[in-house]
Amino acid sequence: AWERPCAWCVSLSRLEDLELAPLGDSDVHVKMLAAPINPADINMIQGTYALLPELPAVGGNEGVGQVLGVGRRVTSVTPGDWVLPADAGLGTWRTEAVFPEQSLLQVPRDVPVLCAATLGVNPCTAYRMLTDFESLRPGDSVIQNAANSGVGQAVIQIARATGIRTINVVRDRPDLPKLVERLVSLGADHVITEEMLRKPDMKDIFKSIPKPRLALNCVGGKSATEMLRHLQPRGTMVTYGGMAKQPVTVPVSAFIFKDVKLRGFWMTQWKKDQMHNKDALQSMMQSLCELVRKGQLGAPACTEVPLEDYRAALEASMKPFTSSKQILIL
């Protein structure tokens, strides 16, 4: 099931030399430094994502670049600055580009390059979901599936930095002890498999921490249903992905007797909603960069791949049980 979409996706991509666009008065010439391959990037290539560019298009929605030159009306960045895409669809899998000033966001150069390259999507998603849906306080708990994903790793670290406990659900796998050790090293309080969600042993976890008021769902299907059962009354489950490609099924009792709330989150839409208010986006980025400086937020497990080896990176990013994010070094 993984081979066909993998081969098809790779066959749709190719490396080409493109002519650099002229630098306009409000444009910025950027040398890309590093750009990750995210699931949304793959979905865009496959044509299954909610945001699709006009073809032919350059892949990649995230990454970090260095400013080489600016147009005469540009005021927000200067040559030498590091920048991130302010929105999705910019096309970051390239060595150089000319972008409009408004499509870029400055990031401090003291942030490690792999942190900067992976800062604009997964940590932002984690930050917003932990902030916007429930008023969590130190000592509260959150439960999440796909805890080994980029978002999951960011949730663990941001939650730990703010005193929030995490219950982290992963699929069973051959290297499970190694994965558990890594997530615990990031600050995970509990790491369990999806099978454990359905067992009475869950009661032991809630002897030491309160039941969660927030559940973060990136999987769907049974994983989401079982995770929902452990929510506090009037708790919230936020769905931001559907890795199982199965619908979220909710018992009627959860609505009637627990009054749970089901919400959705898409980082791209949040950024679009904030385009008139870049202060909110800048403030979030500053908060995340401060966590990086304090050593409380790091890049996810990464594999650095030269751009010319992009085919191998695409294939690796679509393999099951992948815990290392492929980063194109540009």
Side-chain angles (χ1 to χ4, degrees), residues 180-194:
V180 171
E181 182 181 358
R182 168 159 173 75
L183 296 184
V184 169
S185 72
L186 293 177
D189 293 284
H190 297 277
V191 182
I192 61 174
T193 63
E194 291 183 336

Side-chain angles (χ1 to χ4, degrees), residues 74-246:
V74 172
T75 59
S76 62
V77 295
T78 59
D81 286 347
W82 281 12
V83 289
L84 310 178
D87 200 359
L90 209 55
T92 56
W93 298 349
R94 56 175 121 196
T95 54
E96 293 184 38
V98 172
F99 297 124
E101 178 186 15
Q102 74 239 17
S103 69
L104 299 171
L105 193 69
Q106 185 183 2
V107 65
R109 290 188 58 176
D110 62 351
V111 173
V113 66
L114 293 183
C115 285
T118 56
L119 196 63
V121 176
N122 292 336
C124 290
T125 299
Y127 184 93
R128 294 261 59 96
M129 292 193 300
L130 288 170
T131 303
D132 293 351
F133 296 93
E134 288 284 343
S135 298
L136 299 175
R137 299 177 179 177
D140 287 341
S141 72
V142 172
I143 188 169
Q144 65 165 342
N145 54 25
N148 60 304
S149 67
V151 172
Q153 293 177 56
V155 165
I156 291 170
Q157 295 173 83
I158 296 170
R160 170 54 65 93
T162 52
I164 297 167
R165 314 288 291 277
T166 57
I167 303 163
N168 303 279
V169 185
V170 298
R171 289 184 295 171
D172 198 4
R173 63 193 67 208
D175 63 343
L176 182 62
K178 184 178 178 180
L179 175 59
V180 171
E181 182 181 358
R182 168 159 173 75
L183 296 184
V184 169
S185 72
L186 293 177
D189 293 284
H190 297 277
V191 182
I192 61 174
T193 63
E194 291 183 336
E195 290 73 22
M196 284 185 62
L197 277 172
R198 308 177 183 101
K199 294 183 177 179
D201 299 354
M202 288 296 295
K203 293 180 181 179
D204 293 334
I205 291 177
F206 300 123
K207 291 178 181 178
S208 58
I209 64 174
K211 284 199 169 187
R213 293 168 51 199
L214 180 66
L216 306 178
N217 169 44
C218 185
V219 177
K222 290 183 179 179
S223 176
T225 303
E226 295 299 331
M227 194 167 62
L228 187 68
R229 296 183 192 279
H230 300 293
L231 268 185
Q232 285 190 29
R234 297 183 179 175
T236 301
M237 183 168 77
V238 181
T239 293
Y240 67 99
M243 292 170 56
K245 298 182 180 179
Q246 296 174 354

